[in-house]
Amino acid sequence: MKVSFPRLGSATLAIKTLFESLGWEVVPPPPSSKRTLTLGTRYSPEFICFPFKVNVGNYLEALEKGADTIVMLGGCGPCRFGYYAQIQRLILQDLGYQFNMIVLELPQRSWREFLGGIRKLTRGNSLKEIRRAIQLTWAKILAIDEVEEKVRQVRPRELTKGATTRAYGKALGLIDRAKDPEAIETAQKAALQEIGRVPTRSRNDVLRVGLVGEFYTVLEPFANQDIERLLGEMGVEVVRFLTVSEWVRNNLVRSSESKKRREEIHQAAYPYIRNFVGGHGRESVGETVLHARSGCDGVIHLLPFACMPEITARSVLSRVSRDLVLPILSLSLDEQTGKAGIITRLEAFVDLLARRRRGGSSVLRPARAEISR
Amino acid sequence: MLARIGVPRALLYYKYYPWWKSFFEELGFQVVVSCPTNKALLVAGVAAASDETCLPVKAFYGHVLDLKDRVDYLFIPRMISVEKKTYTCPKFLGLPDIIRGIDGLPPIIETQVNRREGCLAPLRAYYRTGEELLEQEEYSGERVRESFGRLWRALWKAERRLRHCQKLMTSRGMTFPQALQQLENRDGKKRETSGKEEGPKQKNGSTKARCRIGLIGHGYNIYDSYVSKDILHCLEVMGASVWTADMVSPRAIHRQMARLPKDPFWSYEREVLGAAFYFLEREEVDGIIQIVSLACGPDSMIAEMVYRQARRKGDIPYMLLTIDEHSSEVGVVTRLEAFLDMIHRGRKG
């Protein structure tokens, strides 16, 4: 029984750990490449959203490497993601693959389906072992999130371009190799030290840009052309609310603390979008307002082409931008997106932000008074 | 003077208009519908909407712009859910929010219909809307507020009227515009029927229909004759009789959907998919044409499922027509002709 799953940025490591500690043989999908995308696009519906196509590419490459079980999340809509697995199964079946697909429905839809999925995954492990696996995974998720947060701060201040990215790669390797809770703790410390060793200089012209948008395109560097690195190397500090640990807290644990934070985001979005619109739509708007309040110079909104919730959000973001006098760049990503195009647009956006901070432009001068409302 | 409530002739108009009209008229309001979609209206809508939205939403913007200066209220309900455990499209969930970005709008009546909160929640939402409207009008006019009985009576009548309309479609095989026409004729309010709806070229129409086509897709794509390039009329002229998803009974749809490993969670797409599977299973149609608008999210998945099911069955031809604001009538007609020719040839051979 060889299990595989779609990639999700650096969280791929944590998901791998989860299955390994449950006793599965894991075939992690190879890092997404042009080939992944070509395969995925060839067999996916034309107007399906971008993450779906990358997923299909990931599956095909994993199946080629011998995987026979695919694990995917389900959902209760109205975002298309909740129905991904059903169509992906059809596509792979029609291509003639023999495989087993385990769809893990989120508990919002029904607890019974959720537990049914869990039972298939755990393969008769004892509760104690399951708990250990979950703890291990959670520790890794937290460690990765913390390292990435640090990376986002250090990168715009690095002395030699690319030094942080190299350190980040090493740090992820350290965390990946850790196999038990104590090892993860030491690995996390070592990883943070690794990032801390990157030579930096103090700068006071570092711009802060909030990153909001759809879950997958924000978290998967392959989907967003590694936008965080691009921005960091242009001297921009990226801030974002959305992390894997935050997503788990919101959707699986639903702690009171995360509920409060969510409430705050919804409150911020209320003047513009009053209701849940599926996916991350409302959160994108709320987070944009919060980024503006915390003094970000601008916001970048990422979405897969024709993503329904984010298109709804984007329709009101222009109003947010006008009201808060906040530059917002909306980037719609799909398999046609070229890196050079993204870089050009980011450079123009960063130039605008820099000029605006220096007070050069009268049109787009920051209006703090308005932001505080 | 009666307060005028504007209903855009787009999106869910093609599903619930009889309900809305009956309800508001029963409460003593005047219902104003925007003019049928035309080029100028669509161009205005496309300019106002954000890019990447689907054609029907762009058309909705156009209809709102058309209405905004001649009504006192705009009716834009927020349809969150109309069936147990389902949603509608995310764009419907945020519709009032995105429309509010247009400048100079009259007050928006934003009824929040959420069946997930309980089976009476939608009625209660409409009840509250009616109550608020009556209350507001009380100050401006001389209307005396009559509460409970009147509102429930209006709800009841509206519900009955919609049921009647749906029955005309499911049991008598009428399309939505035909059913609407029938309802209005019954009220004695005979409106002028446009010549187009009266009869296509009798040459073909008089002979027996040469083939039956299952035309599936959203009401707002199929029945809006400008958006769909008048596909219903074209098919009729070419001698095909048309079955739409509205004509399939909800029970048949439910039976089809119960067989899937996972029931789709969008109500309207569920209807389309169920109807398509029904047509494929019963084999009463000679071909299936599906209309989707470019960048329609749920349809991108539903169309894939219909396509794969049709291919697995293999004996009923299937065609997918994708429309957007750049589609031309000639292109649609050519593809329809080719499709029908293929069906005829397949039959002979």
Side-chain angles (χ1 to χ4, degrees):
Chain A
M1 296 288 268
K2 293 180 181 173
V3 71
S4 189
F5 50 88
R7 289 185 75 86
L8 177 69
S10 46
T12 310
L13 299 180
I15 307 173
K16 199 179 85 187
T17 308
L18 176 67
F19 292 125
E20 272 169 357
S21 35
L22 286 172
W24 291 86
E25 190 181 335
V26 183
V27 182
S32 304
S33 61
K34 205 163 180 182
R35 178 165 183 273
T36 318
L37 199 51
T38 313
L39 281 174
T41 313
R42 184 180 305 153
Y43 298 113
S44 302
E46 190 178 359
F47 295 116
I48 198 70
C49 28
F50 180 50
F52 184 100
K53 298 178 180 171
V54 186
N55 285 174
V56 171
N58 286 156
Y59 297 151
L60 289 172
E61 289 190 326
L63 288 170
E64 276 171 14
K65 284 177 67 184
D68 56 11
T69 305
I70 292 172
V71 180
M72 177 64 180
L73 279 178
C76 54
C79 166
R80 276 180 275 186
F81 175 77
Y83 216 67
Y84 267 20
Q86 310 299 323
I87 311 237
Q88 287 167 342
R89 175 161 46 203
L90 282 181
I91 291 174
L92 296 181
Q93 275 171 355
D94 281 357
L95 283 174
Y97 284 102
Q98 296 292 321
F99 65 99
N100 185 13
M101 195 157 194
I102 300 178
V103 185
L104 202 55
E105 295 289 345
L106 292 184
Q108 279 96 321
R109 186 177 160 86
S110 100
W111 275 99
R112 220 177 49 208
E113 281 176 38
F114 176 66
L115 291 177
I118 294 275
R119 184 161 315 139
K120 271 189 226 164
L121 273 187
T122 51
R123 306 171 74 202
N125 279 303
S126 71
L127 275 177
K128 205 170 143 198
E129 281 169 289
I130 296 171
R131 214 181 108 197
R132 191 177 157 273
I134 291 175
Q135 274 173 345
L136 214 61
T137 314
W138 182 236
K140 275 204 180 172
I141 291 177
L142 289 178
I144 294 170
D145 279 350
E146 196 168 327
V147 167
E148 287 189 341
E149 173 129 27
K150 179 118 194 199
V151 167
R152 287 197 288 272
Q153 286 166 6
V154 169
R155 198 178 265 141
R157 297 175 175 86
E158 68 190 2
L159 268 179
T160 42
K161 199 170 159 182
T164 320
T165 307
R166 274 194 297 278
Y168 171 55
K170 269 187 224 160
L172 280 186
L174 285 174
I175 294 176
D176 187 26
R177 280 191 292 277
K179 293 289 178 228
D180 55 79
E182 294 80 50
I184 291 178
E185 210 169 298
T186 45
Q188 183 179 353
K189 275 195 197 123
L192 287 174
Q193 274 167 6
E194 187 72 46
I195 309 287
R197 270 203 296 278
V198 173
T200 56
R201 61 194 164 116
S202 71
R203 287 174 63 172
N204 55 5
D205 62 338
V206 169
L207 296 162
R208 286 181 78 217
V209 166
L211 198 61
V212 301
E214 190 268 339
F215 185 70
Y216 188 84
T217 42
V218 170
L219 292 179
E220 171 62 61
F222 176 72
N224 60 31
Q225 310 285 347
D226 215 350
I227 194 166
E228 285 189 6
R229 185 169 67 80
L230 292 176
L231 281 170
E233 287 172 1
M234 287 175 196
V236 175
E237 185 181 329
V238 177
V239 230
R240 61 169 148 98
F241 290 98
L242 187 63
T243 55
V244 177
S245 54
E246 195 58 36
W247 184 87
V248 173
R249 283 200 194 102
N250 279 331
N251 289 280
L252 300 174
V253 189
R254 284 187 272 177
S255 65
S256 63
E257 195 189 338
S258 78
K259 262 187 198 147
K260 228 164 76 193
R261 214 167 12 244
R262 235 170 135 84
E263 195 55 40
E264 190 192 357
I265 292 175
H266 293 169
Q267 214 72 48
Y270 189 78
Y272 304 100
I273 202 157
R274 296 188 185 168
N275 195 71
F276 165 69
V277 292
H280 250 85
R282 179 159 55 156
E283 282 75 11
S284 289
V285 177
E287 286 168 8
T288 304
V289 175
L290 291 181
H291 280 314
R293 281 192 198 146
S294 72
C296 279
D297 295 280
V299 166
I300 295 183
H301 175 223
L302 297 177
L303 70 159
F305 175 70
C307 164
M308 300 184 288
E310 296 299 334
I311 286 290
T312 313
R314 181 157 127 171
S315 303
V316 303
L317 274 180
S318 54
R319 208 149 33 104
V320 177
S321 168
R322 206 169 48 204
D323 285 359
L324 302 182
V325 202
L326 175 81
I328 298 178
L329 175 69
S330 216
L331 289 177
S332 170
L333 305 159
D334 68 359
E335 67 273 16
Q336 313 285 348
T337 308
K339 191 154 202 160
I342 295 287
I343 292 176
T344 314
R345 296 180 64 188
L346 288 181
E347 275 172 352
F349 188 66
V350 170
D351 274 355
L352 174 127
L353 296 184
R355 193 172 311 161
R356 191 165 168 264
R357 183 181 269 190
R358 288 198 302 270
S361 155
S362 57
V363 193
L364 283 169
R365 187 162 301 148
R368 298 284 161 202
E370 283 192 60
I371 289 169
S372 62
R373 40 165 241 193
Chain B
M1 204 186 86
L2 293 174
R4 292 157 305 172
I5 295 181
V7 177
R9 193 192 293 263
L11 297 179
L12 295 175
Y13 163 92
Y14 293 99
K15 220 154 187 100
Y16 300 121
Y17 178 62
W19 203 107
W20 296 339
K21 182 174 153 73
S22 167
F23 179 68
F24 290 125
E25 285 188 346
E26 189 66 25
L27 292 180
F29 296 98
Q30 189 192 342
V31 174
V32 182
V33 184
S34 54
C35 64
T37 316
N38 54 45
K39 189 166 182 188
L41 186 147
L42 193 59
V43 167
V46 170
S50 99
D51 53 341
E52 279 182 47
T53 42
C54 51
L55 179 62
V57 171
K58 286 175 178 165
F60 191 87
Y61 272 89
H63 285 279
V64 168
L65 290 171
D66 175 60
L67 272 177
K68 72 177 172 108
D69 297 325
R70 49 195 179 96
V71 293
D72 303 313
Y73 297 98
L74 262 178
F75 180 59
I76 305 178
R78 193 194 289 277
M79 293 287 185
I80 296 173
S81 163
V82 293
E83 283 172 309
K84 207 176 160 190
K85 286 204 169 187
T86 64
Y87 281 109
T88 64
C89 168
K91 285 170 194 159
F92 293 166
L93 264 64
L95 196 57
D97 295 323
I98 59 178
I99 293 300
R100 219 173 273 125
I102 302 177
D103 294 326
L105 287 184
I108 293 178
I109 307 173
E110 189 194 306
T111 312
Q112 184 156 319
V113 177
N114 191 350
R115 171 68 179 72
R116 298 168 82 92
E117 287 172 356
C119 63
L120 282 180
L123 286 184
R124 244 183 278 134
Y126 279 117
Y127 182 93
R128 253 194 317 276
T129 304
E131 204 173 42
E132 274 164 27
L133 273 175
L134 286 181
E135 234 164 75
Q136 269 181 11
E137 288 306 300
E138 196 185 359
Y139 297 111
S140 60
E142 60 269 31
R143 193 199 315 275
V144 188
R145 184 181 161 199
E146 300 152 72
S147 53
F148 196 75
R150 188 167 161 202
L151 280 163
W152 279 110
R153 199 161 53 242
L155 284 174
W156 172 247
K157 282 199 172 169
E159 197 71 24
R160 259 187 37 198
R161 202 173 167 80
L162 184 67
R163 286 276 152 81
H164 189 89
C165 177
Q166 285 167 343
K167 192 134 197 231
L168 285 176
M169 295 193 284
T170 50
S171 58
R172 308 230 336 240
M174 288 185 176
T175 60
F176 182 82
Q178 284 168 341
L180 211 57
Q181 191 81 27
Q182 174 90 2
L183 282 179
E184 288 186 358
N185 286 346
R186 203 189 56 160
D187 294 348
K189 281 191 255 165
K190 288 203 175 172
R191 297 236 176 113
E192 288 175 61
T193 46
S194 57
K196 199 167 61 183
E197 269 173 289
E198 266 307 307
K201 285 175 194 159
Q202 286 303 313
K203 194 175 61 183
N204 287 326
S206 60
T207 57
K208 206 166 102 270
R210 292 194 298 162
C211 63
R212 281 159 304 180
I213 295 293
L215 183 64
I216 54 173
H218 292 293
Y220 46 78
N221 282 335
I222 293 178
Y223 300 136
D224 187 327
S225 57
Y226 185 80
V227 164
S228 71
K229 309 294 163 210
D230 218 355
I231 186 166
L232 277 173
H233 178 59
C234 287
L235 282 169
E236 210 173 322
V237 171
M238 291 173 193
S241 66
V242 175
W243 291 40
T244 64
D246 288 330
M247 298 175 194
V248 181
S249 74
R251 188 179 291 171
I253 287 172
H254 187 74
R255 208 174 303 138
Q256 293 293 334
M257 290 299 97
R259 285 187 211 152
L260 288 178
K262 180 174 178 177
D263 208 341
F265 39 67
W266 305 287
S267 297
Y268 304 126
E269 282 71 18
R270 198 172 164 268
E271 281 167 24
V272 170
L273 186 65
F277 279 20
Y278 176 82
F279 289 145
L280 283 171
E281 184 184 89
R282 297 287 293 261
E283 303 190 346
E284 280 167 357
V285 294
D286 302 307
I288 294 180
I289 299 176
Q290 181 167 17
I291 298 193
V292 302
S293 41
L294 183 86
C296 173
D299 269 357
S300 66
M301 303 188 102
I302 296 302
E304 184 73 8
M305 293 180 75
V306 178
Y307 159 69
R308 290 192 182 265
Q309 182 75 7
R311 209 174 58 169
R312 283 180 185 190
K313 286 214 50 137
D315 44 5
I316 297 182
Y318 165 79
M319 175 168 79
L320 178 69
L321 266 182
T322 307
I323 48 171
D324 71 354
E325 60 267 35
H326 308 296
S327 307
S328 78
E329 188 161 356
V330 186
V332 171
V333 170
T334 312
R335 297 195 56 191
L336 287 181
E337 276 173 354
F339 187 69
L340 292 184
D341 279 352
M342 182 186 75
I343 288 175
H344 294 317
R345 200 170 307 154
R347 246 204 225 144
K348 272 181 220 151

